[in-house]
Amino acid sequence: MKITKYTIQRLSKYQRIAKECCDNGTERISSKYISEKLGLSASQVRQDLNYFGTFGQQGYGYNVCALYDNLSNILGNNIRKNIIIIGAGNLGRAIAKYKYLSRYGFKIISIFDNKPDMIGVNIENIIVDDIQNLENFMKNNQVDICVLTASTKTISDIVNIVKNNGCKAFWNFVETPFKVPEGCIVENIHLMDSLQTLSFNNSNS
Amino acid sequence: MKITKYTIQRLSKYQRIAKECCDNGTERISSKYISEKLGLSASQVRQDLNYFGTFGQQGYGYNVCALYDNLSNILGNNIRKNIIIIGAGNLGRAIAKYKYLSRYGFKIISIFDNKPDMIGVNIENIIVDDIQNLENFMKNNQVDICVLTASTKTISDIVNIVKNNGCKAFWNFVETPFKVPEGCIVENIHLMDSLQTLSFNNSNS
DNA sequence: TAGATTGTTAATCGATTAACAATC
DNA sequence: TAGATTGTTAATCGATTAACAATC
């Protein structure tokens, strides 16, 4: 029973609905309710959740707070994940300031840049560090996730340094493809691809 | 011959590779080359491109600059698309400052917020406008795409105002689901879903 | 010409949906 | 009990891959 990547992508959405309902005092919800909120089929919701256990009850539905707790555990929200950001540009700064990171256990521990006028700048109580210090930092800290926001010629070198020092997960905003070392996990957010997709669909509908 | 949404999402990636090769003087590329750059199969690249025309030649491959031009036309890069941004927070500002928008024909024409201390602020030569003025602005300007970055209780109202005044395309960064009016096109970027997916995959691999 | 590589159909693979027995 | 709704298998749908004739 292999869990597909699409199922995993939806877990966070189920969690959000469970939280919303739990917060507003709802006791139970049906797969139909969840599916309508998200524009999915009820069947899909049930099948997705069943990969991880039997959280529902026939004739009753899902207890929302229990479902939320279960999904939080599955997603590891209670475990702290240390993050570093490569690139202190607009995007890097926006991510560093993103207010929902802590709710899910994410913690920015450093930001790196190569521009002299960025190094030393304070962002959310983190002093932007020189990219030259990356390797040294990696050797002295546990880093779980590396966020790539800066499109530099040395992106492959940076990825290799990070990988070779124990972090294999990359949240990548850089559009230019780079060589992904064996064993790394990359989750891409390509803003321009997304916007171009929207624009195409808008012009051809 | 229906073009799938996945094909459309890849067009922008093909275009980027074509541009890169065109810029550095490469004359032709094969589907195999493109596929290796992107981690896809050559078969998929050929099939995707063939939905839009016969851009390649047997035994030769694809002329990169011609391919780039064709993809630019398909994606409508030469047509100006007017964009408004709802929310002048970190994310809204990062998008407004995103340097690649103009290359693809996108133009930010206004930014709206509801916080008194944001209204009037200058972002990239655009003065943040009061969300109260949204409807009036819509009536006097052609808006092609609306970017949603602010999670407010009135998000549905905002979407309806925009929709009812001629813009049906939404680039949505707001995680909380909202009712999408009939006929609208929504392209979602859910940062926390993406980061949670990465984190899950990292912990379960 | 021979080698390379596309265009395009058919086969395969994988994800979603439908159906319904189980059971609260 | 009757109604509601899950868990789970089977059927369907859709996307990717393989294969190869066409042809540069």
Side-chain angles (χ1 to χ4, degrees):
Chain A
M1 187 178 63
K2 174 142 184 328
I3 301 167
T4 76
K5 63 175 173 175
Y6 298 107
T7 294
I8 293 160
Q9 286 171 4
R10 286 185 291 262
L11 290 181
S12 187
K13 297 179 196 296
Y14 300 145
Q15 182 195 32
R16 193 176 313 119
I17 295 194
K19 177 167 172 51
E20 201 178 294
C21 291
C22 185
D23 285 352
N24 74 22
T26 307
E27 185 199 308
R28 62 197 181 92
I29 46 175
S30 64
S31 56
K32 186 157 179 284
Y33 175 88
I34 299 173
S35 72
E36 282 169 1
K37 274 270 184 183
L38 294 171
L40 307 170
S41 76
S43 192
Q44 183 167 62
V45 173
R46 293 202 299 279
Q47 204 178 54
D48 280 346
L49 293 175
N50 259 70
Y51 281 118
F52 299 95
T54 52
F55 305 137
Q57 282 190 321
Q58 284 101 327
Y60 173 89
Y62 300 87
N63 177 290
V64 285
C65 296
L67 182 60
Y68 175 69
D69 287 345
N70 275 309
L71 287 168
S72 296
N73 280 329
I74 291 164
L75 289 166
N77 291 163
N78 308 316
I79 297 163
R80 173 165 160 166
K81 280 82 58 182
N82 288 336
I83 297 184
I84 61 169
I85 300 178
I86 309 297
N90 298 312
L91 194 54
R93 290 201 297 274
I95 292 166
K97 293 174 181 170
Y98 206 66
K99 62 184 170 182
Y100 295 114
L101 291 169
S102 61
R103 173 188 294 178
Y104 302 105
F106 299 108
K107 171 83 178 166
I108 310 286
I109 59 169
S110 193
I111 305 173
F112 294 90
D113 207 302
N114 61 359
K115 289 178 218 67
D117 57 338
M118 277 313 305
I119 297 164
V121 169
N122 184 320
I123 299 172
E124 296 284 297
N125 291 321
I126 292 165
I127 308 298
V128 177
D129 201 350
D130 188 335
I131 191 74
Q132 300 294 331
N133 299 329
L134 173 64
E135 185 154 19
N136 191 45
F137 183 90
M138 292 293 305
K139 292 197 187 308
N140 292 293
N141 295 272
Q142 197 216 315
V143 176
D144 300 297
I145 292 170
C146 173
V147 185
L148 301 169
T149 74
S151 182
T152 70
K153 289 206 176 52
T154 57
I155 185 95
S156 280
D157 297 340
I158 290 169
V159 168
N160 279 320
I161 289 170
V162 171
K163 165 71 190 336
N164 293 335
N165 287 281
C167 170
K168 66 181 200 297
F170 295 86
W171 198 25
N172 176 46
F173 291 78
V174 176
E175 318 255 339
T176 318
F178 54 87
K179 188 113 187 75
V180 177
E182 192 71 28
C184 286
I185 300 166
V186 180
E187 172 80 14
N188 292 303
I189 293 205
H190 288 153
L191 293 174
M192 279 303 112
D193 291 6
S194 172
L195 184 54
Q196 291 223 80
T197 298
L198 173 63
S199 181
F200 177 91
N201 288 330
N202 190 37
S203 307
N204 298 272
S205 64
Chain B
M1 188 179 62
K2 176 147 186 323
I3 301 167
T4 75
K5 63 176 173 174
Y6 298 107
T7 294
I8 292 160
Q9 285 170 5
R10 286 186 290 263
L11 290 181
S12 187
K13 298 179 195 297
Y14 300 146
Q15 182 195 33
R16 193 178 312 120
I17 295 192
K19 176 166 173 52
E20 201 178 296
C21 291
C22 185
D23 284 351
N24 74 23
T26 307
E27 184 198 310
R28 63 197 180 93
I29 45 176
S30 64
S31 57
K32 185 156 179 287
Y33 175 88
I34 298 173
S35 71
E36 282 169 0
K37 274 270 184 182
L38 294 171
L40 307 170
S41 76
S43 192
Q44 184 167 61
V45 173
R46 291 202 299 279
Q47 203 178 55
D48 280 345
L49 293 174
N50 259 70
Y51 281 117
F52 299 94
T54 52
F55 304 137
Q57 281 189 323
Q58 284 101 328
Y60 173 89
Y62 300 86
N63 176 290
V64 285
C65 296
L67 182 61
Y68 174 68
D69 287 345
N70 276 309
L71 286 168
S72 296
N73 280 330
I74 291 164
L75 289 166
N77 292 163
N78 307 316
I79 297 163
R80 172 165 161 165
K81 280 82 59 181
N82 288 336
I83 297 185
I84 61 169
I85 300 178
I86 309 297
N90 298 313
L91 194 55
R93 291 200 297 275
I95 292 166
K97 292 173 181 170
Y98 206 67
K99 64 184 170 183
Y100 295 114
L101 290 170
S102 60
R103 173 188 293 177
Y104 302 106
F106 299 109
K107 171 84 178 166
I108 310 285
I109 59 168
S110 192
I111 304 172
F112 294 90
D113 206 301
N114 60 0
K115 289 180 218 66
D117 58 338
M118 277 314 306
I119 297 165
V121 170
N122 184 320
I123 300 171
E124 296 284 298
N125 290 321
I126 292 165
I127 309 298
V128 176
D129 202 350
D130 188 335
I131 190 75
Q132 300 294 331
N133 299 330
L134 174 65
E135 186 155 17
N136 191 44
F137 182 91
M138 292 293 305
K139 291 198 188 306
N140 292 293
N141 294 273
Q142 197 216 315
V143 176
D144 299 297
I145 292 170
C146 173
V147 186
L148 302 168
T149 74
S151 182
T152 69
K153 289 205 177 52
T154 57
I155 185 95
S156 279
D157 297 340
I158 291 168
V159 168
N160 280 320
I161 290 171
V162 172
K163 166 73 190 336
N164 293 336
N165 287 282
C167 170
K168 65 181 201 297
F170 295 86
W171 198 25
N172 175 46
F173 291 77
V174 175
E175 318 255 339
T176 318
F178 54 86
K179 187 111 188 76
V180 177
E182 192 72 25
C184 285
I185 299 166
V186 180
E187 172 80 15
N188 292 303
I189 293 205
H190 288 153
L191 293 174
M192 279 302 113
D193 290 5
S194 172
L195 184 54
Q196 291 223 79
T197 299
L198 174 63
S199 181
F200 177 90
N201 288 330
N202 190 36
S203 306
N204 297 273
S205 64

